Amino acid sequence: MDLVTVGLRVRELAIPGARAMEAGLQRQEYRGYDSAGLAVDGDKAGEVEIFRSVGKVKALAEVINNAKINTEKVFDCHAGIAHTRWATHGQPKTVNCHPQRSDPNSEFTVVHNGIITNYREIRELLTSKGFKFESETDTEVIAKFFKYIYDSNKQHNLDFSQLAKLVIIELEGAYGLLIKSIHYQDEVVATRKGSPLLVGVKTEKKLKTDFVDVEFPDTLEELSSVPADANSNINGTANGLLIPKDNLRHSVSRAFMSDEGIPMAAEFFLASDPAAVVEHTKKVLFLEDDDIAHIYDGQLHIHRSSNEVGASTIRSIQTLEMELAEIMKGSFDHFMQKEIFEQPESVINTMRGRVDFETNTITLGGLRSYLTTIRRCRRLIMIACGTSYHSCLATRAIFEELTEIPVSVELASDFLDRRSPVFRDDTVVFVSQSGETADTILALQYCLDRGALTVGIVNSVGSSISRQTHCGVHINAGPEIGVASTKAYTSQYIALVMMALSLSDDSLSKSARRLEIIEGLKNISEQISKVLELNDSIKTMCDETLSDQKSLLLLGRGYQHATALEGALKIKEISYMHSEGVLAGELKHGVLALVDENLPIIVMATRDSLFPKVMSAVQQVVARSGNPIIICNPGDKFDPKYKTLEVPATVDCLQGLLNVIPLQLMSYWLAVRKGIDVDFPRNLAKSVTVE
Ligand code: UD1
Ligand code: F6R
């Protein structure tokens, strides 16, 4: 995921935007990024200065300082765009930093959050039109596409927002976009789809209204001169598009009119996150999907490309009450909590552009050309540490079932300690959030030396594991800041399930099972949201019954063994409470001795083929006066004296995605209750780069 922040200051500017933007970028450092950049109007008309750098915002500041631009010069009207990038397309290199440009003269410059899923098709089209690409990013296609549509429509004298409409209609995926152009000096266009974007508004005098009017097109006419291209796969390009007939600029929004009826001087700050703008202004309006915000002549205009029935005709200007620290975490107290609650969205990002729910097909671009080799391998070994290891355990059974390849799951350190034999016809999958875990990297080198095919399942693009594996899948969960891994777990889990589905897509006998799983994936985000509704009751349960305990046992079997292990790890690392995940079948082989009326026991008893066996474990616990807390599906009847937490039912192999969430919440609330700094638990680091 990429992050955007922008300072756009129009009129009565004291200092050029570069410094303000730099500060805005710094405010978003907490979100994690690997490179930064900005573009700002140059001294002369038609000139744009771009500064980019891999590393921290400090490194970018250094680049700007060395460029010896006059940062004290006063402009009447000045626009700039800036960005911190978390690599998704292409490694963190200067050439991949944003802003991306349309051509060497930087006629159009773009910063972008999100992922354009049809960038390959657009890139192909533009390459066939003679455009030369400089980067590996999906974003570069947007800048070049702007130039292409601009050049092809010169006779229409389009204004910037009309041009933007013609471009974004072709974009698929998720985006928060800011665009500037030397053809529209001092103007910026901002638009979003599925990625946050807000406008900070700063005026000297009080705003006349606390909303901005949305401008709908008056008349539409078919613009048949948008270049039709028979070879294009891009929707709409060949169809002729609708643009407003009247090309006149709309009047100033009521909000920015002074009492004398003339427009007030205003500054606008566009950002993906309020943290970037709050030091300038607390007045913000949040853009909606498909809004096109156009800032020119010191005014803000919000356009829609069509007259939707019932659409809201205003965007309210809100006053942020929060302090900076609060804003960075949104309404959450800790990053871990924020990341737990982000899961309905992060799992979608993992599947975006990869699972087609209409055709029930899976496309993992990073594995496409390796699938045949993987299918032919003698065995598949999954190697990881900690939480990432648990995601392997959670998906091992479905891998074996769908691919019919024997799968072993290994802890990286143990695998190395044993100097386990590895052969050329093995496929080894390395799972890591950070992509920098030393144990996993060493195991990877060990397997590379022995000639095995290596596959990475990694969150950080450009990380060592992502670069050193032959192929792989980026889980696209976005940066994970909290030391306890939460959203990375659910996304790794889904990435591994997608890999198993991909490997088995040639098998007719597995097609019904595959369909069932894809259907499950379709609903998973919504179901995760449903589980998150348990938050309050879990907090109460932690406060009332669990927090005074010394120890906790988690029982599961089959698919839920991994959930029990992951829940126990979360609880011990964050709340420092001793907890153990136990395979329910092993209870009678020793662990039962621990059970008494005090020890809390959480049992994963959602419905799958092993349900009766899990229930027999519950009976064993109850017979020894134990008090189980049961994670079950709605409608399942248990003795009313047991506590239950109901989670929605899904396919057996995906149920762990839902069952783990109450455990994440439990570890969180137990830690908060003990006053532990949840995001930085003692003795632990986010990325373990030592053996
Ligand atoms: C690419 C985009 C992705 C977008 C999709 C849409 C990149 C980095 N990703 O994803 O954001 O949603 O197109 O079409 O451009 N790789 C490894 N080891 C790893 C992980 C990945 O070698 O651990 C390799 C892959 O084999 C591939 C490249 O890195 O060559 C990108 O991987 P991934 O992001 O998963 O590829 P796509 O799903 O095609
Ligand atoms: C637990 C946790 C760790 C990591 C482990 C591997 O919450 O975060 O157990 O899962 O250190 O790290 P990655 O996935 O970065 O290789």
Side-chain angles (χ1 to χ4, degrees), residues 4-5 20 23-31 198 271-281 284 286 320 322-330:
V4 179
T5 173
L25 290 180
Q26 241 143 17
R27 292 286 177 226
Q28 292 188 78
E29 292 205 294
Y30 74 95
R31 290 173 72 167
L198 60 91
S272 57
D273 182 330
V277 306
V278 72
E279 66 188 284
H280 303 290
T281 179
V284 297
F286 291 87
L320 296 170
M322 305 174 263
E323 288 313 312
L324 197 58
E326 287 174 53
I327 289 170
M328 300 206 297
K329 294 186 190 121

Side-chain angles (χ1 to χ4, degrees), residues 232-300:
S232 165
N233 295 328
I234 305 164
N235 299 336
T237 304
N239 299 334
L241 299 165
L242 295 176
I243 62 154
K245 191 174 183 179
D246 104 53
N247 214 358
L248 293 175
R249 289 185 159 182
H250 287 262
S251 56
V252 172
S253 177
R254 283 173 277 174
F256 307 114
M257 279 293 189
S258 70
D259 290 336
E260 298 78 43
I262 47 168
M264 302 194 247
E267 286 181 51
F268 298 100
F269 304 87
L270 291 148
S272 57
D273 182 330
V277 306
V278 72
E279 66 188 284
H280 303 290
T281 179
K282 291 203 163 182
K283 297 261 178 239
V284 297
L285 66 85
F286 291 87
L287 295 177
E288 291 186 4
D289 274 356
D290 299 318
D291 278 353
I292 297 179
H294 183 189
I295 300 175
Y296 60 86
D297 282 353
Q299 295 299 322
L300 165 70

Side-chain angles (χ1 to χ4, degrees), residues 213-403:
D213 296 298
V214 178
E215 297 171 28
F216 292 90
D218 305 330
T219 329
L220 292 174
E221 83 170 2
E222 187 135 335
L223 181 71
S224 51
S225 52
V226 167
D229 190 316
N231 299 323
S232 165
N233 295 328
I234 305 164
N235 299 336
T237 304
N239 299 334
L241 299 165
L242 295 176
I243 62 154
K245 191 174 183 179
D246 104 53
N247 214 358
L248 293 175
R249 289 185 159 182
H250 287 262
S251 56
V252 172
S253 177
R254 283 173 277 174
F256 307 114
M257 279 293 189
S258 70
D259 290 336
E260 298 78 43
I262 47 168
M264 302 194 247
E267 286 181 51
F268 298 100
F269 304 87
L270 291 148
S272 57
D273 182 330
V277 306
V278 72
E279 66 188 284
H280 303 290
T281 179
K282 291 203 163 182
K283 297 261 178 239
V284 297
L285 66 85
F286 291 87
L287 295 177
E288 291 186 4
D289 274 356
D290 299 318
D291 278 353
I292 297 179
H294 183 189
I295 300 175
Y296 60 86
D297 282 353
Q299 295 299 322
L300 165 70
H301 297 262
I302 297 173
H303 299 272
R304 302 288 298 174
S305 39
S306 58
N307 288 301
E308 307 105 310
V309 183
S312 163
T313 57
I314 56 160
R315 298 288 172 268
S316 334
I317 299 173
Q318 304 172 16
T319 306
L320 296 170
E321 300 296 348
M322 305 174 263
E323 288 313 312
L324 197 58
E326 287 174 53
I327 289 170
M328 300 206 297
K329 294 186 190 121
S331 54
F332 300 103
D333 295 330
H334 298 96
F335 287 112
M336 180 187 177
Q337 190 189 25
K338 179 168 182 267
E339 286 155 9
I340 292 173
F341 280 86
E342 252 169 39
Q343 290 176 106
E345 196 187 314
S346 52
V347 295
I348 292 212
N349 286 335
T350 305
M351 294 188 274
R352 194 187 302 282
R354 292 164 166 171
V355 185
D356 184 333
F357 291 111
E358 272 165 29
T359 56
N360 294 314
T361 48
I362 312 280
T363 314
L364 294 171
L367 294 187
R368 203 171 1 211
S369 42
Y370 291 86
L371 287 177
T372 325
T373 320
I374 301 174
R375 282 188 195 115
R376 273 199 234 116
C377 73
R378 176 160 71 156
R379 63 172 174 162
L380 215 139
I381 312 171
M382 295 178 175
I383 302 183
C385 307
T387 291
S388 300
Y389 168 75
H390 295 150
S391 71
C392 302
L393 281 182
T395 51
R396 173 193 191 168
I398 194 62
F399 245 95
E400 290 189 329
E401 182 189 331
L402 289 177
T403 65

Side-chain angles (χ1 to χ4, degrees), residues 354 364-368 370 430 454-458 465-466 469-475 499:
R354 292 164 166 171
L364 294 171
L367 294 187
R368 203 171 1 211
Y370 291 86
F430 296 86
T454 60
V455 182
I457 306 286
V458 170
I465 296 175
S466 164
T469 40
H470 292 108
C471 58
V473 182
H474 290 120
I475 64 170
M499 180 173 166

Side-chain angles (χ1 to χ4, degrees), residues 34-187:
D34 46 50
S35 34
L38 60 86
V40 67
D41 289 328
D43 284 354
K44 295 186 215 96
E47 205 179 64
V48 63
E49 303 266 8
I50 301 182
F51 304 98
R52 304 188 295 183
S53 161
V54 173
K56 295 286 157 194
V57 174
K58 250 196 187 146
L60 176 67
E62 199 70 8
V63 172
I64 297 171
N65 287 341
N66 293 341
K68 300 206 176 16
I69 51 164
N70 177 7
T71 52
E72 298 307 316
K73 188 172 169 180
V74 177
F75 292 80
D76 228 20
C77 211
H78 201 231
I81 58 179
H83 186 258
T84 48
R85 171 171 192 255
W86 164 265
T88 56
H89 289 65
Q91 294 182 6
K93 290 193 285 196
T94 309
V95 73
N96 290 333
C97 293
H98 300 198
Q100 288 289 320
R101 61 184 188 177
S102 56
D103 62 294
N105 291 333
S106 308
E107 286 182 36
F108 290 88
T109 40
V110 173
V111 296
H112 166 217
N113 274 356
I115 296 165
I116 302 300
T117 47
N118 64 338
Y119 81 100
R120 288 201 181 87
E121 289 87 341
I122 304 180
R123 192 172 164 133
E124 235 168 71
L125 169 81
L126 294 172
T127 306
S128 76
K129 303 288 174 198
F131 282 85
K132 300 250 173 316
F133 282 82
E134 308 173 299
S135 77
E136 301 152 67
T137 64
D138 53 341
T139 305
E140 192 182 356
V141 304
I142 307 172
K144 291 192 156 45
F145 204 41
F146 259 93
K147 176 165 164 52
Y148 174 57
I149 300 282
Y150 176 82
D151 288 345
S152 324
N153 286 286
K154 278 208 170 122
Q155 73 278 22
H156 290 287
N157 215 7
L158 297 176
D159 88 5
F160 204 1
S161 65
Q162 291 169 332
L163 178 67
K165 277 178 205 169
L166 294 181
V167 171
I168 64 168
I169 208 161
E170 306 292 0
L171 302 181
E172 286 170 18
Y175 49 81
L177 275 182
L178 302 172
I179 311 110
K180 63 183 262 80
S181 166
I182 59 169
H183 302 298
Y184 303 97
Q185 187 85 20
D186 307 323
E187 299 184 20

Side-chain angles (χ1 to χ4, degrees), residues 677-690:
D677 185 349
V678 175
D679 288 327
F680 301 100
R682 69 185 177 202
N683 310 336
L684 297 175
K686 183 66 190 158
S687 183
V688 188
T689 52
V690 288

